[in-house]
Every structure is written in structure tokens, then in C-alpha cells.
Amino acid sequence: MRRTLALYTGFFAQSLKARMAYKADFFGEIVASVLATAAGIVFVLMLFHRVPDLLGWQRAEVFLIYGLSLIPFGLFNVISVNLYEFADRYIIEGRFDRLLLRPMPTLAQLLMEKSRLTAIGEVIVGIVVAAWASVDLGLAWGVADFAWTAVLVVSGAVIYTAVFTILSCLSFFFEDRIGVGAPVWNLIMFGRFPVPIFGPWIGAVLSWVVPFAFVSFYPATHFLDKTGYRTLCYLTPVVAIGIAVVALAFWRIGVRSYRSTGS
Amino acid sequence: MPTESAPAIRVRDLEKVFRVFRRRVGLGGAIRDLVHRRYEPLRAVAGVSFEVGEGEMVGLIGPNGAGKSTTLKMLTGILVPSGGEIESAGFVPHRQRVDYVRHIGAVFGQRTQLWWDLAVIESFHLLGKIYGVDEKTLAERIEQLDGILAIGELLHTPVRKLSLGQRMRCDLAASLLHMPRVLFLDEPTIGLDIVAKDGIRSFLRDINREFNTTAIITTHDLRDIEELCERILIIDHGSLLFDGPLDAIKSAHAAETHLVLDLLSPPTGAIDAIGGEGVHWEQQGPLRYRATFDRRAIRPPDLARAALAELDVADLAIPEPSIERIIGRIYRESGARRGGTDG
Amino acid sequence: MSAFVAFVRAGFLRLLAYRLRYVTGILTYTIHVSVYYFIWRAVFAHAGTDATLRGFRLEEITTYVALGWVVRSFHFNNIDREIAALVQEGHITSYLARPVHLLTAMTGLGAGESLFRITAFTGPISLVIVGLFPVRGPEDALAFVLFLVSAVLSFLVLTYLNFLIGLVAFVTRSTAGIISAKNYAMQLLSGLLMPLAFFPDWLREASAWLPFRHVSHTPVALYLGRFDGAAAWQALGWQVLWTAALLALSVGAWRYFARRLVVQGG
């Protein structure tokens, strides 16, 4: 574990160094990532400028869910670059061979090898929005609340990573990419709002199929004065561990069927 | 040439079957492919057995698509075999991958193991961390490898800016940082010039002599085999055709010598007479002729001199024979003896 | 003209290779529309579906948002990225030597792409949307004709905007940030996410002086018949004006950068 951490630091430092070589690009991308997140926030702001609540959910409540979803989302974006490039760079171009030649778990190497540091912008926006919403709600934060937020952030990042790892596993079996990632990626949007507004069907999908509702909606109810979510709220880490186990199982099956046909 | 001690690598009835996806044609076909895919089995490796002793260097040769790379990928733990057994350096590669690859080094000629955008030395440090080589030992090894491979001045260059030869030297060094017991080299000299090839070959000989490193080498360059290996394995259509000493390849190589002549005017007499018995002439173009002969019986300069005296020669060349021809000849001469299984 | 047709053909053909992407594209767009549909449905939950908010009934907002995505499914292109890549990789100089104007080539590629999208993408998405969401038909036949004209114009407005943004690569090395900034500003300001009527007043007034509204709002509002009589023609007139202005700007900007390229070299 310590070796893995040292290694991650090594890779991270290399990524940072490589990125800082083109400073303009680096800051341009931070701006882009902040803007991408800001557009969604501006939408919610403008919406609440005209309407008092969303099916009983107040502005501050929506923003708390929204902001808390951005923190794990940003962390996930830092480590996930290679998951999207997995089919092209690793399977089609055959780079997966070299991961198999090194004495480390392949998935860990994949996630480590490249980082999108600029996604830190999303983490910062998330913290700002969540903090602002929490002030608006008049929340008094105790140690347990901070601890729960840490659980939420880690679980959320694990859920995102696990879902997209499972999708990447498809590349082991199908060489041509039809881009299943994009629609699932867009499902993330649902998870940033109070899930009940999307009705029972979408709610069920977001809870039990692609569990993005567990990234921030359910765990965020810890801070909100809402009834009916207590169990689901504290189920968050269990869901995260569950989907991580499923993802690792899929990954193992994928690696066993790896054909190394790339050129 | 299995040694007395336990072999470094033992392969028994190794098999790899791929399911090959057969695409349908047209847009309708593409949509039907989405719903139902048609597959055909392809036996890339069809029951191969051999052993390699500790410290042995073995050449694995065969035409393109014969199953060499697939075999090598199973030996390195990249591919999971469909059948048979592998034991290498005391491990079952695909089952104990993480522990196993700590003890092996691999160089796949066309693909670098290094990080494209990083300076070589930074790649080395990351590899040091991955393999758990401490900083001090790593520095010593790099210095040692620099001594033989002369990579010192390349260390601070990003990998993408290296020439192919330079990159190959760095890749070789990278594969040796953790002092592997077994080396797998896939086309280690491909695309290099003569000087670079010589450098790599002498380096591999040194490593083998000094550390008793076992190595399996696949190559299309017969010189690699002649200079490095005492034993060859020939593989074709997924099966082992030959397992034996290098002499076989040397004699096949000698027996397949060519002399190619470009003439200024057509030969006046019968060209077949030139060089006498043992020289087989073929016309390959309006004014191009090729002689095939055994260089152990007829010295190439003698034949060239005879040709120059008789013919109006514009140009002459002695090309290297292709590996496919050599393999064909060894196969014929060995009487289709199957190596390994009966040895 | 024949050069333009050649580029249209090329734009059409190069998408054929990615045709399977559109299967998942349909899903992606459906998800987008769903998110906003459900949010608006929640907004109307108390008032009831027959209530009006800022002049819109739920059915109209649903149509407004869904139709915005349908129009986008037709006119979307990545010409900004393509031009930026041409500039960064130095291939842009080849357009100095060619007899084809860069804008003709890019508009042609975009048009070919849109022609492909309208069959492979817009058609199926429209069917899915009509099947899943309570959208309404056009106000009347004239409204529908005006919508079609305006949708074609929206392609030109978007293409020229993308063209101009792509040329920014001549000024800065990194364009990813600017292109994303444009994309997000456009999503919001074009009315793709929310009818302009819901904007804060100052932003709504500002948006009247920006070209973005002609990418989504104008065609959709024409379809819904939100303009009275002459106002419809006026809205279309503004869109034509913006199209012409952006065309002139694109030609001018390219002439400027092309000249600079000749003087300074690549």
C-alpha cells in the first residue's frame, strides 16, 4: 500500500510536470472545467429565480446535493482519463500489454498512469457551492458531519470509477467502440438533483442499476430535514463497496479474455 | 539442450485458440452484427512443448502469423493459454502474474515499455518504484547499464525524441533494471542499422555471460540467431516444426546463398554452365539472373569472378535469404521431425 | 458550387464510419431532454399542468426544450475544433493554395454532416421524443414553414460562430478552454436549457443583442407561434441579419489571418 502510494505520487508529479510545460493550456482547461460546472449551477440559479421550489425541494437543498456531487465527480475526473481512452489507447493500440508486464494490478496502473489535474477546478466549485448551501441552510457542522462528508466523497468517487470501469471492460470483448460511455456519462446529471423529481422509474435505475443517486442525493439527506431516506442515506458506503466488487470481477474476466491484437 | 538442473522454462501442449469475429458486409450487416456476432475459432498455437535450460539463449523463429508472438505473450503472462501448461522461473505466468513478472524482462521491439512523454531517467525511476528497486541499487544498475549500452547522454531526453536504435537501447536497459532471471525479446533489432544491431547483440551476449540470464528471442534477422543462440525453435501454423541446435540453420543458410546479377546485354552462351555443378540459375527479369548455391562448396568470390568473366555485368549483389526459405529448407532436411515431443 | 457539393459529400461520408455512435447518441439526447423535462414538471407540480408560468404552459416548455435538442441534433458540428486543429498542426496553409475558400469547405463539411445527421439522428430522435414526452405540434402550417427556414438558418449561425471561434487558434495556442466556454455560454444563452422568458430581465435583454438566441430560441419560438403576426417575420429577419453579419465577419477574419499567414509565414 505504501509502495502504491509512493508510485501514485510519482506518476502524479510526472503528470503535473508535463502539464506545467504548457501553462496556457493548463489554465485554459481549468477555466473550461470551472465553466462547464458553472453552466449547470447558473441554470439552477436562474430556475430558482423564477420558481420557489422543486417539488418541495428548496434552492439551498438542491445546491447542497449539487455541490456535494461535484466533489467526488472532480476527484473521479482526475483519475479517470484513461478509462475513456482505454479502448483506443490500450486495447486498439495495444498498450495494455505493458501493464500486464509490470508487477502491479492492471487497473491501478491504468488509473494512475494519467491524471487530469485540471478537474480540481470541479472539486473547488463543489466545495464552494456546498459550503454556500450549508450556510444558507444554517447547518452546524460537527465532527461526525465532516466524517460523513469524507465517506460521501470517497464512496461517490468509487461509484463513478466502478461504473465506468465496468463500461471499459466491454472493450476487452468488442473491439469496435460504439460509445456506451456517453449516455451513461449523461446519467450523472440526474444524480445532481433530488432524485424523486424524476419519478419512480428513473429513481429505481439511479438507485439500483447505475447507482448515481448514492453519489450525493441519498448521502446528502444526512444534512437535510427530510424523512424517508435514513436507511438509503447510510447505505452509501455499502453500495460503493458492492459496485467496486462487481467492477473488479468484470475487470478480472476482461483481462482473462484480453487478446492483445493491437498494433 | 535441456540442462541437468531444473529447466528455467517448461512448456507442455501449449494451446491458444482465438475466437475471430466475422463481420457482415454493409449497413444492414453492421446492425445485425450488433445483435448477433458470428465467430470462428482460430488455433494460433496448437500444442507446443519445449524446455529451456537455465542460462540458455534460444531463438524462436517462424514466418509471420506462425504463432511466435502468441507463444511469447503466453510465456510473459499477457495472454491466458487455452490449453496446456507453462512454468517459467518457477511460476505459472497467467495465474501468478504479479509475482512472476517481477522476475522477467520483456522487450517487444515495436512497442516501447517506456512513457512516451517522460525523460528516460524518469521512466527508469518510475520502473524502479514499480519493481521495488531502491534508489541506490537503481543508480548503480543504471550506471552499469550505461557502461555497456552507452545510454548516459540519452537519459534526460524524452522517449518520443529518441531514434529507434536509441529507444531500443533504453528499452533493453529498462527491462534489466530489476535483474530479471528470464528475458523475452521480440524482434529486439528490428529496424536498426548494422552498428546498432551489433551493439545490441554484443550487449545481450555480455548479459547472458555475466548473469546467466535465460533468454528467448524471436526475430526475422538470422544474424541475431546465429550470433546469440545455440538452439532454435521453429514454429509454423501454431506447431513446433523443429527444435535443435543452431548448426541446422547455419547449414541451411549456407546452402541457400544467392548471387544476383544485372546484365547490360543478354548472355551469349548457356548461363547454366557458369560455376559448374551445384549452381542453379534462374532468370528473374529481362536482364536479371539469380544463382543459388552452397557457399561451403563454392566460394562466392569464385562464382562472381566466373560470372564477370563470362557475362556483361552491370551490377551484382549477394542478398540475405528470407527466413521463410531457410525454414522451408530446415523443415525438408529434418524430415519433418517434430521437436520437443519426441526429444 | 461544385467544390461545395464535394465537401458536402465528404462531410456526409466521413460520418458513415461512425454511424453506430448515433445509436447511443439517441440515448444521450433522450437523457438530456428527460433531465430538463422532469425538472420543469417538478416546477409545475403545485400549479398544475394547465397553469402558465411566464407565459408558458408545461407542454410548451417541454416542446421548447425538446425541440431545441432536435434542432441541435441536426445542426451540431465541430468545425471550431477542426479549424483549431488545422491551425495548430500547420495544415491550414494548404487552404491558401487551394482554389476553395476555407469557409466554403467548412460550411460544406458541416452541411454534409447535417445531411447525414438529419436522416440517421434527427429522425429517430424526433420519434423517440414524440413517443416519450408530451410535446405539442406546430402552431399552424406557416409556423412550421418558418420553423424549417429558421432551423436551416440556425445551422449557418452556428457554423459561422464555430468558424470564428476556430480561428482564435491563430491568436492563442490553447483553444480547448475557449471552445468549451462558447459551448456552455451557447447552451445557456441560446435557450436550449431554459426559455429566454425565464432569464433574469437584464440577461434576457442582453441576449436580444447576441447571436446565440438564433441557434435555438428563434426556430423553436417560431414553431410554438410565440410571435404575433409581423413579429414572426421580424424574428426571422433578425436571424437573417445575424447570419449575414456572421458570414461577413467570418470572411473578413479569415482574410485577415490568411494575409498575416502569408506575410509572417506558417
Side-chain angles (χ1 to χ4, degrees):
Chain A
M1 190 63 206
R2 241 184 66 208
R3 212 157 59 82
T4 311
L5 214 64
L7 193 57
Y8 191 70
T9 326
F11 275 115
F12 200 76
Q14 292 304 341
S15 284
L16 190 67
K17 212 188 289 180
R19 284 319 312 256
M20 293 314 276
Y22 308 105
K23 284 200 187 61
D25 280 10
F26 185 70
F27 292 113
E29 266 184 54
I30 290 188
V31 171
S33 104
V34 168
L35 270 170
T37 33
I41 290 158
V42 170
F43 169 78
V44 180
L45 262 179
M46 280 170 32
L47 190 72
F48 278 102
H49 177 68
R50 297 291 183 199
V51 302
D53 69 273
L54 273 183
L55 217 62
W57 297 82
Q58 308 300 316
R59 185 176 78 171
E61 293 171 331
V62 172
F63 270 126
L64 188 74
I65 296 165
Y66 204 110
L68 285 178
S69 85
L70 289 177
I71 304 169
F73 180 67
L75 290 181
F76 158 70
N77 280 339
V78 171
I79 60 169
S80 64
V81 198
N82 272 339
L83 285 180
Y84 313 118
E85 298 184 357
F86 185 64
D88 283 340
R89 283 172 56 88
Y90 287 84
I91 300 294
I92 295 169
E93 288 174 26
R95 277 192 187 81
F96 195 64
D97 282 13
R98 76 174 190 192
L99 299 192
L100 285 163
L101 287 172
R102 294 182 195 140
M104 274 188 72
T106 45
L107 184 59
Q109 290 185 63
L110 182 77
L111 296 177
M112 267 185 207
E113 267 199 328
K114 202 169 165 192
S115 304
R116 193 166 78 87
L117 306 170
T118 48
I120 287 297
E122 286 144 35
V123 176
I124 294 166
V125 174
I127 292 173
V128 171
V129 172
W132 174 56
S134 135
V135 170
D136 216 4
L137 286 164
L139 297 180
W141 283 60
V143 178
D145 299 313
F146 281 105
W148 179 247
T149 307
V151 171
L152 176 156
V153 168
V154 172
S155 303
V158 167
I159 291 171
Y160 284 139
T161 310
V163 167
F164 287 95
T165 299
I166 292 170
L167 291 179
S168 295
C169 286
L170 293 175
S171 316
F172 283 118
F173 306 98
F174 306 103
E175 276 150 36
D176 45 356
R177 232 168 51 145
I178 55 170
V180 212
V184 179
W185 173 262
N186 286 297
L187 285 178
I188 289 176
M189 273 196 299
F190 285 115
R192 292 191 178 140
F193 291 92
V195 170
I197 68 172
F198 300 113
W201 287 101
I202 293 179
V205 170
L206 292 174
S207 302
W208 311 116
V209 183
V210 189
F212 290 153
F214 281 99
V215 170
S216 86
F217 172 65
Y218 290 132
T221 55
H222 166 86
F223 298 100
L224 303 177
D225 193 18
K226 297 275 173 189
T227 49
Y229 301 110
R230 277 290 164 262
T231 321
L232 289 171
C233 171
Y234 298 109
L235 214 56
T236 300
V238 180
V239 170
I241 292 167
I243 192 162
V245 168
V246 172
L248 288 174
F250 269 107
W251 186 259
R252 190 155 302 170
I253 295 169
V255 171
R256 282 190 67 87
S257 343
Y258 175 57
R259 298 159 57 105
S260 180
T261 47
S263 48
Chain B
M1 196 167 44
T3 49
E4 304 286 312
S5 62
I9 300 170
R10 186 187 294 147
V11 174
R12 190 156 299 144
D13 305 325
L14 186 63
E15 255 193 294
K16 183 69 189 178
V17 182
F18 289 113
R19 291 203 314 154
V20 184
F21 169 39
R22 282 250 331 247
R23 246 172 245 278
R24 296 178 175 91
V25 289
L27 178 62
I31 290 167
R32 280 172 60 205
D33 280 343
L34 269 182
V35 183
H36 179 75
R37 294 174 156 237
R38 288 183 303 179
Y39 291 96
E40 280 175 5
L42 173 82
R43 293 182 88 198
V45 175
V48 166
S49 305
F50 61 86
E51 286 182 2
V52 178
E54 195 87 48
E56 233 190 326
M57 288 181 107
V58 173
L60 180 63
I61 58 178
N64 282 328
K68 302 180 303 245
S69 290
T70 306
T71 304
L72 213 60
K73 281 172 180 172
M74 287 191 280
L75 286 169
T76 48
I78 291 174
L79 289 176
V80 179
S82 312
E85 285 162 31
I86 303 177
E87 199 188 307
S88 176
F91 296 91
V92 178
H94 68 278
R95 234 173 268 144
Q96 297 160 289
R97 188 188 68 77
V98 171
D99 293 320
Y100 169 62
V101 295
R102 230 178 265 288
H103 301 283
I104 65 164
V107 175
F108 287 86
Q110 287 106 327
R111 288 183 200 163
T112 181
Q113 314 287 310
L114 305 168
W115 288 270
W116 204 240
D117 290 318
L118 299 189
V120 176
I121 187 77
E122 279 159 0
S123 279
F124 285 2
H125 277 128
L126 282 174
L127 286 170
K129 281 189 184 136
I130 289 176
Y131 285 96
V133 182
D134 64 80
E135 303 255 329
K136 190 166 153 287
T137 319
L138 188 73
E140 281 169 16
R141 297 240 169 102
I142 293 173
E143 202 185 306
Q144 198 180 3
L145 289 165
D146 173 38
I148 340 181
L149 282 167
I151 50 172
E153 76 270 29
L154 306 175
L155 288 177
H156 295 281
T157 315
V159 174
R160 68 186 135 82
K161 288 192 179 156
L162 298 177
S163 75
L164 191 58
Q166 292 171 332
R167 206 207 75 204
M168 197 66 85
R169 268 148 58 203
C170 293
D171 254 316
L172 269 172
S175 71
L176 291 161
L177 290 173
H178 54 291
M179 285 289 132
R181 282 159 56 196
V182 186
L183 258 184
F184 296 95
L185 306 167
D186 189 16
E187 303 281 1
T189 62
I190 198 167
L192 302 187
D193 60 50
I194 305 267
V195 182
K197 281 184 185 199
D198 272 344
I200 299 242
R201 286 173 195 144
S202 74
F203 168 73
L204 290 173
R205 272 196 304 269
D206 291 347
I207 289 287
N208 174 249
R209 198 177 310 128
E210 208 167 320
F211 305 107
N212 201 35
T213 311
T214 309
I216 293 190
I217 302 164
T218 77
T219 182
H220 266 82
D221 190 330
L222 289 170
R223 293 247 175 265
D224 286 347
I225 301 287
E226 288 187 355
E227 292 186 24
L228 294 173
C229 307
E230 287 166 1
R231 184 174 146 218
I232 50 168
L233 303 170
I234 299 179
I235 198 165
D236 195 8
H237 297 296
S239 302
L240 199 59
L241 297 183
F242 179 82
D243 177 354
L246 181 70
D247 300 347
I249 211 168
K250 277 197 170 144
S251 68
H253 200 164
E256 257 327 282
T257 310
H258 293 308
L259 173 70
V260 176
L261 298 175
D262 282 319
L263 304 182
L264 289 166
S265 56
T268 44
I271 197 165
D272 288 331
I274 300 171
E277 283 287 306
V279 179
H280 172 66
W281 287 94
E282 267 174 289
Q283 188 169 5
Q284 290 194 312
L287 287 171
R288 168 168 288 190
Y289 290 84
R290 188 178 74 174
T292 305
F293 60 102
D294 188 332
R295 73 198 314 162
R296 289 165 302 187
I298 300 163
R299 288 176 50 227
D302 292 341
L303 181 62
R305 206 170 298 125
L308 285 168
E310 300 274 332
L311 302 163
D312 195 4
V313 177
D315 199 2
L316 62 83
I318 301 181
E320 282 285 314
S322 75
I323 203 150
E324 281 77 10
R325 281 189 76 98
I326 300 282
I327 289 166
R329 181 168 280 269
I330 294 173
Y331 190 35
R332 285 196 301 277
E333 284 175 1
S334 67
R337 173 163 72 93
R338 291 192 67 135
T341 44
D342 60 356
Chain C
M1 196 60 204
S2 67
F4 180 75
V5 174
F7 277 100
V8 171
R9 207 179 115 81
F12 187 92
L13 287 178
R14 70 178 178 176
L15 280 191
L16 248 135
Y18 297 102
R19 56 183 177 253
L20 289 179
R21 296 264 169 104
Y22 289 98
V23 178
T24 51
I26 292 166
L27 214 55
T28 302
Y29 271 50
T30 309
I31 290 168
H32 274 287
V33 175
S34 307
V35 169
Y36 296 106
Y37 164 67
F38 281 108
I39 288 173
W40 287 110
R41 205 181 67 159
V43 166
F44 278 84
H46 299 309
T49 43
D50 287 328
T52 54
L53 259 177
R54 303 206 58 84
F56 280 86
R57 285 184 298 119
L58 176 59
E59 184 194 56
E60 287 171 314
I61 296 194
T62 307
T63 310
Y64 186 99
V65 172
L67 197 58
W69 285 94
V70 169
V71 171
R72 181 185 158 99
S73 77
F74 148 74
H75 70 202
F76 185 85
N77 59 53
N78 276 323
I79 280 166
D80 42 6
R81 277 176 223 280
E82 279 176 50
I83 293 176
L86 281 176
V87 173
Q88 277 154 3
E89 289 157 19
H91 301 313
I92 196 88
T93 43
S94 68
Y95 278 91
L96 292 174
R98 285 190 206 174
V100 188
H101 197 281
L102 179 67
L103 186 61
T104 311
M106 288 299 152
T107 314
L109 284 176
E113 203 172 321
S114 287
L115 224 60
F116 184 88
R117 295 173 73 99
I118 208 167
T119 48
F121 201 27
T122 308
I125 282 174
S126 307
L127 288 178
V128 170
I129 282 176
V130 169
L132 288 182
F133 304 101
V135 290
R136 51 162 285 190
E139 181 71 5
D140 50 40
L142 179 65
F144 190 66
V145 172
L146 291 180
F147 158 75
L148 290 179
V149 173
S150 180
V152 172
L153 285 171
S154 80
F155 161 76
L156 291 175
V157 171
L158 175 82
T159 303
Y160 299 149
L161 275 173
N162 282 352
F163 185 85
L164 286 165
I165 292 287
L167 291 182
V168 170
F170 276 110
V171 186
T172 65
R173 224 194 71 90
S174 115
T175 49
I178 290 159
I179 289 174
S180 320
K182 179 221 57 180
N183 284 342
Y184 290 112
M186 197 164 71
Q187 278 198 7
L188 211 61
L189 295 173
S190 67
L192 185 65
L193 307 183
M194 171 186 284
L196 301 189
F198 283 80
F199 284 12
D201 298 330
W202 63 270
L203 188 61
R204 198 182 60 244
E205 279 153 27
S207 77
W209 300 100
L210 292 171
F212 301 112
R213 57 156 50 204
H214 298 300
V215 173
S216 184
H217 171 80
T218 307
V220 171
L222 282 168
Y223 176 95
L224 288 172
R226 300 202 57 88
F227 302 103
D228 302 324
W233 295 100
Q234 210 177 1
L236 204 62
W238 275 112
Q239 198 185 17
V240 171
L241 270 179
W242 266 112
T243 309
L246 289 169
L247 170 64
L249 240 121
S250 298
V251 172
W254 169 237
R255 184 173 297 164
Y256 170 77
F257 286 118
R259 188 167 301 151
R260 215 178 63 165
L261 207 60
V262 173
V263 176
Q264 300 179 348

